[in-house]
Amino acid sequence: AGSAVGLGNIWRFPTEAGNNGGGAFLLVYILCVVLMGVPLMVAEFAVGRHSRANTGSAFRILSKRRSWGLLGKMEVLAAFLILAYYSVVAGWTLYYAFQSLLNRFNVMARQGDSSVFADNFNSFVSDPWLPLLCLAAFLFATHFVVVRGVKSGIERSSKILMPFLFLLMVVLVVCALTTPGAAKGLEFFFTPDFSKIDSGVVMSAMAQAFYSLSLGMGCMCTYASYFKRDANITKTAFTVGLMDMSVAVMAGIVIFPAVFSVPGLEPDAGPSLVFIALPNVFQMAMGGIPAMAYVCSLAFYVLLVVATLTSTISLHEVVTAYLSETRNMPRRRAAWYVTGGSLVLGIFCSLSLGVLSGMTVAGMTIFDLFDYVTAKIMLLAAGFLTSVFVGWVLKPHALANELTNWGTLKLRCFSVLVFMLRYVVPLIIAGVFLDGLGLLNIL
Ligand code: PHE
């Protein structure tokens, strides 16, 4: 859950939902989590725990084929690329936590003009230095945790802190419902317009489901390689899926009312959406009591930093474990390569939102390109191949062994899972891809 709950829920989900028509996207996303996300998570857990190896080696060890090893390597590469641009946004959360600490949002709100939060965000991201400084700070914090192996510390503290984040999301939901745009926002988020569902929306929703559940990039597989033998994989996958989905849905209930309350802000504003809409929520609901607004916004951003840190750690760990286990290097050195590499790539991603914004590939900034290639191509390809691997290549008794270690064999449950992995997941992914390419005409 530490890996799964993060910016994917609170930042990327509302951004994607806003770009893809709101209610229609939510519906498809929920279906994707239940029908594909949870079975795939079980599959990744099984691969990780059965092989007891890093993702780059796990598929090869289990299949004894080099070619399947490429799947693991692609997942590690996806984790590395995601770490680079995810850390840019992670840096933004750090900046916002500082701004809250310095009471900047209360001061801004007193200026009375709602465009002040948009100006604040835009001048921050287009600054040539500040976002880079925040990016580096976040990456070094991640590096420190991964190298020191203080994972147990962060695990314990996130177990305590995450319920608070959940609680604050509930507070935020209540605040958001009092904003003037609440009705419009909820209508946008909860009324599915079926005519909007096309292959692009389904692809985005599927990618978002995988991204948010940390699937297709080796995180769940790597973490499962550290699981105890008696950990109940199926139950864990359901719990994580449910938790992750509820945080994302709450984020939507918070963001869209805010979006429709702020003049000039549109749901399809892109990556800036959440960072402009969120500070408004506390101010609109609690502006009359500045102390409350101060405490809540500070607590929220600090908790968001922690949730984000547990996600960047999991991404970093995938690549570090791979390098140190396969290249025979000490973990410390492996971790430096990962941190250094993602810092360099992250700098380009960050600058592409400011001084390098004119540099585009296929109409996308470098930042958008990283997101597109990883989430919509690599993760979906990895999801397809993982389900084929566990459904068809992995020996059924190996899977059964991983799933039934806690007691009786839940046979019906098992056959449903195998059916999903063999047919449903791969066919849906392949269908959406072909439809997107214009080769099928279903959607
Ligand atoms: N799932 C995490 C989130 O929702 C992000 C993440 C993506 C973590 C990819 C690991 C790998 O924020």
Side-chain angles (χ1 to χ4, degrees), residues 1-5 9 29-30 32-42 45 166 208-210 212-215 220 233-249:
S3 167
V5 176
N9 312 60
Y29 161 79
I30 292 176
C32 288
V33 169
V34 177
L35 294 179
M36 308 165 81
V38 174
L40 263 177
M41 191 181 290
V42 176
F45 280 162
F166 206 83
Q208 176 58 27
F210 292 4
S212 191
L213 295 170
S214 303
L215 298 172
M220 291 309 178
I233 284 183
T234 329
K235 199 170 132 204
T236 309
F238 268 107
T239 323
V240 173
L242 190 70
M243 250 191 308
D244 192 68
M245 198 163 69
S246 25
V247 175
V249 173

Short mmCIF file of all heavy atoms in Angstrom, two decimals, residues 1-5 9 29-30 32-42 45 166 208-210 212-215 220 233-249:
data_model
loop_
_atom_site.label_atom_id
_atom_site.label_comp_id
_atom_site.label_asym_id
_atom_site.label_seq_id
_atom_site.Cartn_x
_atom_site.Cartn_y
_atom_site.Cartn_z
N ALA A 1 0.85 -1.20 0.00
CA ALA A 1 0.00 0.00 0.00
C ALA A 1 0.88 1.25 0.00
O ALA A 1 0.56 2.25 -0.62
CB ALA A 1 -0.93 -0.01 1.20
N GLY A 2 2.01 1.16 0.65
CA GLY A 2 2.94 2.30 0.67
C GLY A 2 3.38 2.66 -0.73
O GLY A 2 3.43 3.82 -1.12
N SER A 3 3.68 1.63 -1.51
CA SER A 3 4.09 1.86 -2.89
C SER A 3 2.90 2.36 -3.72
O SER A 3 3.03 3.27 -4.52
CB SER A 3 4.63 0.57 -3.50
OG SER A 3 4.76 0.71 -4.88
N ALA A 4 1.76 1.77 -3.50
CA ALA A 4 0.61 2.06 -4.36
C ALA A 4 0.02 3.45 -4.12
O ALA A 4 -0.26 4.19 -5.06
CB ALA A 4 -0.47 1.00 -4.16
N VAL A 5 -0.16 3.81 -2.85
CA VAL A 5 -0.79 5.10 -2.57
C VAL A 5 0.26 6.20 -2.67
O VAL A 5 1.26 6.18 -1.97
CB VAL A 5 -1.45 5.11 -1.17
CG1 VAL A 5 -1.99 6.49 -0.86
CG2 VAL A 5 -2.56 4.08 -1.11
N ASN A 9 -2.47 8.55 -7.13
CA ASN A 9 -3.86 8.72 -6.72
C ASN A 9 -4.26 10.18 -6.64
O ASN A 9 -5.32 10.58 -7.09
CB ASN A 9 -4.09 8.14 -5.32
CG ASN A 9 -3.53 6.77 -5.18
OD1 ASN A 9 -2.33 6.57 -5.36
ND2 ASN A 9 -4.37 5.81 -4.90
N TYR A 29 -12.18 3.10 -15.10
CA TYR A 29 -11.06 2.91 -14.18
C TYR A 29 -11.41 1.87 -13.10
O TYR A 29 -10.63 0.95 -12.82
CB TYR A 29 -10.68 4.26 -13.56
CG TYR A 29 -9.88 4.18 -12.29
CD1 TYR A 29 -8.51 3.93 -12.33
CD2 TYR A 29 -10.49 4.34 -11.04
CE1 TYR A 29 -7.77 3.84 -11.16
CE2 TYR A 29 -9.76 4.25 -9.87
CZ TYR A 29 -8.40 4.01 -9.94
OH TYR A 29 -7.67 3.91 -8.79
N ILE A 30 -12.60 2.01 -12.52
CA ILE A 30 -12.99 1.07 -11.46
C ILE A 30 -13.05 -0.35 -12.02
O ILE A 30 -12.55 -1.31 -11.41
CB ILE A 30 -14.34 1.48 -10.82
CG1 ILE A 30 -14.14 2.78 -10.04
CG2 ILE A 30 -14.87 0.39 -9.89
CD1 ILE A 30 -15.39 3.35 -9.43
N CYS A 32 -11.39 -1.51 -14.50
CA CYS A 32 -10.02 -1.97 -14.76
C CYS A 32 -9.32 -2.42 -13.48
O CYS A 32 -8.58 -3.41 -13.47
CB CYS A 32 -9.19 -0.86 -15.41
SG CYS A 32 -9.65 -0.54 -17.09
N VAL A 33 -9.55 -1.70 -12.38
CA VAL A 33 -8.91 -2.09 -11.12
C VAL A 33 -9.40 -3.47 -10.71
O VAL A 33 -8.62 -4.36 -10.36
CB VAL A 33 -9.21 -1.06 -9.99
CG1 VAL A 33 -8.76 -1.59 -8.64
CG2 VAL A 33 -8.52 0.26 -10.29
N VAL A 34 -10.74 -3.66 -10.77
CA VAL A 34 -11.30 -4.91 -10.26
C VAL A 34 -10.99 -6.08 -11.20
O VAL A 34 -10.52 -7.14 -10.76
CB VAL A 34 -12.83 -4.76 -10.08
CG1 VAL A 34 -13.44 -6.07 -9.63
CG2 VAL A 34 -13.12 -3.66 -9.08
N LEU A 35 -11.21 -5.87 -12.49
CA LEU A 35 -11.09 -7.00 -13.42
C LEU A 35 -9.64 -7.32 -13.80
O LEU A 35 -9.31 -8.45 -14.10
CB LEU A 35 -11.88 -6.73 -14.70
CG LEU A 35 -13.39 -6.65 -14.55
CD1 LEU A 35 -14.04 -6.35 -15.89
CD2 LEU A 35 -13.93 -7.97 -14.00
N MET A 36 -8.81 -6.29 -13.83
CA MET A 36 -7.45 -6.53 -14.30
C MET A 36 -6.40 -6.24 -13.23
O MET A 36 -5.43 -6.99 -13.08
CB MET A 36 -7.17 -5.66 -15.53
CG MET A 36 -8.22 -5.82 -16.59
SD MET A 36 -8.16 -4.53 -17.81
CE MET A 36 -6.84 -5.14 -18.82
N GLY A 37 -6.57 -5.15 -12.51
CA GLY A 37 -5.54 -4.74 -11.55
C GLY A 37 -5.31 -5.76 -10.45
O GLY A 37 -4.18 -6.18 -10.20
N VAL A 38 -6.40 -6.17 -9.80
CA VAL A 38 -6.24 -7.10 -8.68
C VAL A 38 -5.67 -8.45 -9.13
O VAL A 38 -4.70 -8.94 -8.55
CB VAL A 38 -7.55 -7.23 -7.86
CG1 VAL A 38 -7.42 -8.29 -6.79
CG2 VAL A 38 -7.91 -5.89 -7.23
N PRO A 39 -6.22 -9.06 -10.20
CA PRO A 39 -5.60 -10.33 -10.66
C PRO A 39 -4.13 -10.16 -11.03
O PRO A 39 -3.30 -11.01 -10.71
CB PRO A 39 -6.41 -10.70 -11.90
CG PRO A 39 -7.71 -10.00 -11.77
CD PRO A 39 -7.45 -8.77 -10.97
N LEU A 40 -3.80 -9.03 -11.66
CA LEU A 40 -2.40 -8.83 -12.04
C LEU A 40 -1.51 -8.64 -10.82
O LEU A 40 -0.35 -9.06 -10.81
CB LEU A 40 -2.27 -7.60 -12.93
CG LEU A 40 -2.25 -7.86 -14.42
CD1 LEU A 40 -2.19 -6.55 -15.18
CD2 LEU A 40 -1.06 -8.72 -14.80
N MET A 41 -2.07 -8.02 -9.80
CA MET A 41 -1.26 -7.83 -8.59
C MET A 41 -0.97 -9.19 -7.95
O MET A 41 0.16 -9.47 -7.53
CB MET A 41 -1.96 -6.90 -7.60
CG MET A 41 -1.03 -6.49 -6.47
SD MET A 41 -1.79 -5.42 -5.27
CE MET A 41 -1.98 -3.93 -6.18
N VAL A 42 -1.99 -10.05 -7.91
CA VAL A 42 -1.77 -11.40 -7.39
C VAL A 42 -0.68 -12.09 -8.21
O VAL A 42 0.24 -12.72 -7.67
CB VAL A 42 -3.08 -12.23 -7.44
CG1 VAL A 42 -2.82 -13.66 -7.00
CG2 VAL A 42 -4.14 -11.60 -6.57
N PHE A 45 2.73 -10.67 -7.33
CA PHE A 45 3.14 -11.16 -6.00
C PHE A 45 3.66 -12.59 -6.11
O PHE A 45 4.67 -12.96 -5.53
CB PHE A 45 1.94 -11.16 -5.04
CG PHE A 45 1.60 -9.80 -4.46
CD1 PHE A 45 0.36 -9.56 -3.88
CD2 PHE A 45 2.53 -8.77 -4.44
CE1 PHE A 45 0.04 -8.32 -3.32
CE2 PHE A 45 2.22 -7.53 -3.89
CZ PHE A 45 0.97 -7.31 -3.33
N PHE A 166 -5.38 9.40 5.16
CA PHE A 166 -6.73 8.97 4.82
C PHE A 166 -7.76 9.88 5.51
O PHE A 166 -8.70 10.38 4.92
CB PHE A 166 -6.90 7.53 5.30
CG PHE A 166 -7.92 6.75 4.54
CD1 PHE A 166 -7.59 6.15 3.33
CD2 PHE A 166 -9.20 6.61 5.03
CE1 PHE A 166 -8.53 5.44 2.61
CE2 PHE A 166 -10.15 5.90 4.33
CZ PHE A 166 -9.81 5.31 3.12
N GLN A 208 -3.93 4.09 -15.97
CA GLN A 208 -4.01 4.71 -14.64
C GLN A 208 -4.18 3.64 -13.56
O GLN A 208 -3.59 3.71 -12.49
CB GLN A 208 -5.17 5.71 -14.60
CG GLN A 208 -5.41 6.35 -13.23
CD GLN A 208 -4.19 7.09 -12.69
OE1 GLN A 208 -3.35 7.57 -13.46
NE2 GLN A 208 -4.05 7.15 -11.38
N ALA A 209 -5.01 2.62 -13.85
CA ALA A 209 -5.20 1.55 -12.86
C ALA A 209 -3.87 0.86 -12.57
O ALA A 209 -3.50 0.65 -11.41
CB ALA A 209 -6.23 0.55 -13.37
N PHE A 210 -3.12 0.53 -13.60
CA PHE A 210 -1.85 -0.17 -13.40
C PHE A 210 -0.85 0.73 -12.67
O PHE A 210 -0.16 0.32 -11.75
CB PHE A 210 -1.23 -0.59 -14.75
CG PHE A 210 -2.01 -1.67 -15.46
CD1 PHE A 210 -3.20 -2.15 -14.96
CD2 PHE A 210 -1.54 -2.21 -16.65
CE1 PHE A 210 -3.92 -3.14 -15.62
CE2 PHE A 210 -2.24 -3.21 -17.31
CZ PHE A 210 -3.44 -3.66 -16.79
N SER A 212 -1.39 3.30 -10.75
CA SER A 212 -1.74 3.59 -9.37
C SER A 212 -1.51 2.39 -8.46
O SER A 212 -1.23 2.54 -7.28
CB SER A 212 -3.21 4.02 -9.33
OG SER A 212 -3.51 4.54 -8.09
N LEU A 213 -1.65 1.18 -9.04
CA LEU A 213 -1.42 -0.01 -8.22
C LEU A 213 0.04 -0.45 -8.28
O LEU A 213 0.40 -1.52 -7.80
CB LEU A 213 -2.32 -1.16 -8.70
CG LEU A 213 -3.82 -0.92 -8.53
CD1 LEU A 213 -4.62 -2.00 -9.25
CD2 LEU A 213 -4.21 -0.90 -7.06
N SER A 214 0.88 0.37 -8.88
CA SER A 214 2.32 0.07 -9.04
C SER A 214 2.55 -1.25 -9.77
O SER A 214 3.42 -2.03 -9.40
CB SER A 214 3.04 0.01 -7.69
OG SER A 214 2.89 1.19 -6.99
N LEU A 215 1.74 -1.50 -10.82
CA LEU A 215 1.91 -2.75 -11.56
C LEU A 215 2.71 -2.52 -12.83
O LEU A 215 2.72 -1.41 -13.36
CB LEU A 215 0.54 -3.31 -11.95
CG LEU A 215 -0.37 -3.67 -10.78
CD1 LEU A 215 -1.76 -4.02 -11.28
CD2 LEU A 215 0.21 -4.83 -9.99
N MET A 220 5.71 -4.45 -7.19
CA MET A 220 5.00 -5.45 -6.40
C MET A 220 5.76 -6.78 -6.40
O MET A 220 5.78 -7.50 -5.41
CB MET A 220 3.59 -5.65 -6.95
CG MET A 220 2.71 -4.45 -6.73
SD MET A 220 2.77 -3.93 -5.00
CE MET A 220 1.73 -2.50 -5.00
N ILE A 233 -1.39 -13.64 -0.07
CA ILE A 233 -1.22 -12.81 -1.27
C ILE A 233 -2.55 -12.26 -1.80
O ILE A 233 -2.66 -11.08 -2.13
CB ILE A 233 -0.54 -13.68 -2.36
CG1 ILE A 233 0.94 -13.81 -2.06
CG2 ILE A 233 -0.75 -13.09 -3.72
CD1 ILE A 233 1.69 -14.57 -3.12
N THR A 234 -3.56 -13.11 -1.87
CA THR A 234 -4.83 -12.66 -2.45
C THR A 234 -5.46 -11.58 -1.60
O THR A 234 -5.92 -10.56 -2.11
CB THR A 234 -5.83 -13.85 -2.54
OG1 THR A 234 -5.07 -15.03 -2.74
CG2 THR A 234 -6.79 -13.66 -3.65
N LYS A 235 -5.44 -11.81 -0.29
CA LYS A 235 -6.06 -10.82 0.59
C LYS A 235 -5.30 -9.50 0.50
O LYS A 235 -5.91 -8.43 0.45
CB LYS A 235 -6.02 -11.37 2.03
CG LYS A 235 -7.00 -10.69 2.94
CD LYS A 235 -7.10 -11.42 4.26
CE LYS A 235 -6.99 -10.41 5.38
NZ LYS A 235 -6.54 -11.01 6.62
N THR A 236 -3.97 -9.59 0.47
CA THR A 236 -3.17 -8.36 0.37
C THR A 236 -3.54 -7.60 -0.91
O THR A 236 -3.71 -6.38 -0.88
CB THR A 236 -1.67 -8.71 0.35
OG1 THR A 236 -1.39 -9.56 1.44
CG2 THR A 236 -0.81 -7.46 0.45
N ALA A 237 -3.67 -8.33 -2.03
CA ALA A 237 -3.97 -7.66 -3.30
C ALA A 237 -5.33 -6.96 -3.22
O ALA A 237 -5.48 -5.82 -3.67
CB ALA A 237 -3.96 -8.66 -4.45
N PHE A 238 -6.32 -7.62 -2.61
CA PHE A 238 -7.63 -6.99 -2.50
C PHE A 238 -7.58 -5.75 -1.61
O PHE A 238 -8.14 -4.71 -1.94
CB PHE A 238 -8.65 -7.99 -1.92
CG PHE A 238 -9.36 -8.75 -2.99
CD1 PHE A 238 -9.08 -10.09 -3.24
CD2 PHE A 238 -10.33 -8.12 -3.78
CE1 PHE A 238 -9.72 -10.78 -4.25
CE2 PHE A 238 -10.98 -8.80 -4.79
CZ PHE A 238 -10.68 -10.14 -5.03
N THR A 239 -6.89 -5.87 -0.48
CA THR A 239 -6.83 -4.73 0.44
C THR A 239 -6.14 -3.55 -0.22
O THR A 239 -6.61 -2.42 -0.15
CB THR A 239 -6.04 -5.11 1.72
OG1 THR A 239 -6.34 -6.45 2.04
CG2 THR A 239 -6.34 -4.20 2.87
N VAL A 240 -4.99 -3.83 -0.86
CA VAL A 240 -4.25 -2.74 -1.48
C VAL A 240 -5.10 -2.10 -2.59
O VAL A 240 -5.19 -0.87 -2.70
CB VAL A 240 -2.90 -3.23 -2.05
CG1 VAL A 240 -2.21 -2.14 -2.85
CG2 VAL A 240 -1.99 -3.70 -0.93
N GLY A 241 -5.76 -2.95 -3.40
CA GLY A 241 -6.59 -2.43 -4.49
C GLY A 241 -7.70 -1.53 -3.97
O GLY A 241 -7.92 -0.43 -4.47
N LEU A 242 -8.35 -1.96 -2.90
CA LEU A 242 -9.46 -1.20 -2.35
C LEU A 242 -8.98 0.13 -1.75
O LEU A 242 -9.56 1.19 -1.98
CB LEU A 242 -10.16 -2.04 -1.27
CG LEU A 242 -11.48 -1.48 -0.78
CD1 LEU A 242 -12.52 -1.60 -1.89
CD2 LEU A 242 -11.95 -2.22 0.47
N MET A 243 -7.89 0.05 -1.01
CA MET A 243 -7.36 1.26 -0.39
C MET A 243 -6.96 2.28 -1.44
O MET A 243 -7.28 3.45 -1.37
CB MET A 243 -6.13 0.90 0.45
CG MET A 243 -6.43 1.01 1.90
SD MET A 243 -5.04 0.90 2.96
CE MET A 243 -4.15 -0.50 2.60
N ASP A 244 -6.25 1.77 -2.43
CA ASP A 244 -5.73 2.64 -3.48
C ASP A 244 -6.88 3.32 -4.23
O ASP A 244 -6.85 4.52 -4.48
CB ASP A 244 -4.90 1.79 -4.43
CG ASP A 244 -4.09 2.64 -5.37
OD1 ASP A 244 -3.17 3.31 -4.88
OD2 ASP A 244 -4.40 2.65 -6.57
N MET A 245 -7.90 2.51 -4.53
CA MET A 245 -9.02 3.05 -5.28
C MET A 245 -9.77 4.09 -4.45
O MET A 245 -10.18 5.13 -4.96
CB MET A 245 -9.96 1.92 -5.67
CG MET A 245 -10.88 2.27 -6.78
SD MET A 245 -11.57 0.78 -7.49
CE MET A 245 -12.61 0.19 -6.20
N SER A 246 -9.93 3.83 -3.14
CA SER A 246 -10.70 4.81 -2.38
C SER A 246 -9.95 6.13 -2.23
O SER A 246 -10.58 7.19 -2.26
CB SER A 246 -11.15 4.28 -1.01
OG SER A 246 -10.34 3.28 -0.55
N VAL A 247 -8.63 6.08 -2.13
CA VAL A 247 -7.89 7.35 -2.06
C VAL A 247 -8.05 8.12 -3.37
O VAL A 247 -8.27 9.33 -3.39
CB VAL A 247 -6.40 7.12 -1.73
CG1 VAL A 247 -5.63 8.42 -1.77
CG2 VAL A 247 -6.24 6.48 -0.36
N ALA A 248 -7.99 7.39 -4.50
CA ALA A 248 -8.13 8.06 -5.79
C ALA A 248 -9.52 8.69 -5.93
O ALA A 248 -9.65 9.84 -6.35
CB ALA A 248 -7.88 7.07 -6.93
N VAL A 249 -10.56 7.94 -5.55
CA VAL A 249 -11.91 8.47 -5.70
C VAL A 249 -12.10 9.69 -4.80
O VAL A 249 -12.66 10.72 -5.21
CB VAL A 249 -12.96 7.38 -5.40
CG1 VAL A 249 -14.36 7.96 -5.37
CG2 VAL A 249 -12.90 6.28 -6.45
#
